[in-house]
Amino acid sequence: MKRSLKLSLVLVASLLVLGITSCKKKLKDADIQSAIEKVLTADADMKGTMVTVKDGVVTLSGVCKDEACKTKCEEAVKKIEGVSSIVNNCTVAPPEVVVPPVADALGQAIADAVKDFPSVKTQLTDGVLTLTGEIEKASLQKLMMGLNALKSMGLKKIESNGLTRK
Amino acid sequence: MALQDKYKELIDAATAAPVVNLQVREQDGVLYIDGESSGAVKQQLWDMYGKLDPDYAAGDLMLNINSVAGISEGAKLKVTTNKTNLNIRSGPGTDNSIVGKAARHEVVTLVRKENDQWWWIKTDDGEEGYSFTQYLTPVE
């Protein structure tokens, strides 16, 4: 009887200990997570990163703007207390393709405007259009009207000293 | 200021014409004159420009008079190419394929404006597509 009481006490005690530790662990994951989130949200680069924590193992996910940013997230998380290891599942966003649509549209519009004057050559640099080659005097006004209208598309100046008027 | 003196006659004519939303601005050695007018006024201003700066050679004026801004959908337009027929294209740009032709001096209808350079037009024969506005003159 005495023995079995002792045994059950031990059992209860061990259960309690187990219960407490498992409870403590759960809390800790949540604490780690909020500590990480605090660090990440404070930085504009890392803001978008998502975090999950299980048994001290941190999983990072989301889209980073570049490889450096991905590493930065990992380094920052590593320093936080209670983090045992990191699984970095962040993906790196494809580099932004910088397309200068205005310049392209202007280039095309210039090509359209001079299309009927094949002996006229064009060169566009920083919004300044240089005309060379030759043109019939009778067509000059029509050409210039078409090109001057492209001011609305960003054309700043037309240099036509090198254009021969026939 | 010197450029405004050189082109004073032109600026005065544009002011008197009248040119709507007229803007005269000088920057980095170029005088910019912008506004909207009828095709006839635009022609008059361009002839004056050619007189003040023979052959438009000085490169010190950008005369951006839009004579197509006031044209509305459904308007009748005359094909004013120099000699040839006007191409009708599948898209707004000469890199698009030719889907039809309008004869010189044929009258077509404006369906829709893509931008100031390209309009969607329709011929009386039912041919439709984009044409270059430089060769379209409103029937006044």
Side-chain angles (χ1 to χ4, degrees):
Chain A
M1 187 71 183
K2 229 178 186 182
R3 218 167 136 200
S4 74
L5 185 70
K6 225 180 198 172
L7 204 80
S8 54
L9 269 174
V10 168
L11 205 78
V12 167
S14 58
L15 270 174
L16 266 173
V17 168
L18 267 173
I20 286 166
T21 46
S22 70
C23 212
K24 204 176 162 195
K25 211 162 196 178
K26 242 181 204 166
L27 258 177
K28 225 176 172 187
D29 278 348
D31 286 347
I32 296 167
Q33 175 152 354
S34 60
I36 294 170
E37 278 167 354
K38 210 168 162 186
V39 169
L40 293 182
T41 49
D43 189 301
D45 284 349
M46 307 192 287
K47 235 181 192 161
T49 314
M50 283 166 289
V51 187
T52 53
V53 184
K54 194 166 193 305
D55 300 332
V57 178
V58 177
T59 306
L60 299 174
S61 59
V63 181
C64 292
K65 65 170 180 162
D66 53 26
E67 202 62 48
C69 175
K70 188 177 166 179
T71 315
K72 187 176 161 188
C73 286
E74 201 172 321
E75 292 299 321
V77 172
K78 214 180 261 177
K79 286 183 199 142
I80 293 165
E81 211 188 329
V83 175
S84 60
S85 65
I86 300 170
V87 179
N88 194 343
N89 285 340
C90 288
T91 51
V92 174
E96 260 181 60
V97 183
V98 184
V99 186
V102 175
D104 276 5
L106 179 58
Q108 180 59 49
I110 290 169
D112 291 348
V114 302
K115 182 198 148 265
D116 290 336
F117 314 102
S119 53
V120 175
K121 305 275 171 280
T122 61
Q123 166 82 44
L124 180 66
T125 314
D126 296 332
V128 178
L129 176 67
T130 307
L131 299 177
T132 50
E134 53 181 38
I135 190 160
E136 283 175 41
K137 275 203 172 194
S139 302
L140 183 62
Q141 191 186 62
K142 194 108 192 167
L143 171 71
M144 288 310 233
M145 272 186 186
L147 290 173
N148 273 243
L150 302 183
K151 192 235 154 193
S152 330
M153 298 180 77
L155 187 62
K156 291 183 201 144
K157 189 175 159 76
I158 300 168
E159 299 268 15
S160 63
N161 286 329
L163 181 68
T164 309
R165 282 87 168 163
K166 291 191 289 185
Chain B
M1 206 56 207
L3 285 177
Q4 302 210 17
D5 289 339
K6 178 179 174 184
Y7 294 109
K8 186 177 184 303
E9 197 185 335
L10 184 63
I11 296 167
D12 290 348
T15 312
V19 173
V20 181
N21 297 330
L22 179 66
Q23 283 182 46
V24 180
R25 183 172 61 90
E26 196 173 328
Q27 195 186 330
D28 299 331
V30 180
L31 182 69
Y32 296 92
I33 301 179
D34 297 83
E36 294 156 20
S37 75
S38 68
V41 168
K42 178 179 177 175
Q43 185 61 52
Q44 177 205 339
L45 295 176
W46 268 89
D47 290 344
M48 198 175 277
Y49 178 12
K51 220 173 62 192
L52 297 172
D53 177 23
D55 289 349
Y56 315 102
D60 55 4
L61 172 64
M62 289 287 279
L63 183 59
N64 179 23
I65 301 297
N66 188 337
S67 63
V68 296
I71 315 298
S72 44
E73 290 164 8
K76 295 287 176 196
L77 310 163
K78 192 170 171 181
V79 175
T80 47
T81 47
N82 291 336
K83 291 173 197 134
T84 53
N85 293 331
L86 179 68
N87 290 327
I88 300 174
R89 294 180 182 272
S90 61
T94 52
D95 50 344
N96 294 286
S97 59
I98 297 168
V99 294
K101 300 253 185 197
R104 182 171 185 256
H105 288 173
E106 184 178 335
V107 173
V108 299
T109 308
L110 169 61
V111 178
R112 185 168 54 80
K113 292 178 177 180
E114 177 74 16
N115 52 41
D116 284 343
Q117 276 72 44
W118 292 93
W119 286 351
W120 182 277
I121 59 154
K122 189 176 183 176
T123 67
D124 286 347
D125 302 336
E127 282 185 296
E128 287 186 64
Y130 291 93
S131 279
F132 201 41
T133 56
Q134 201 174 332
Y135 299 111
L136 293 167
T137 307
V139 180
E140 289 173 52

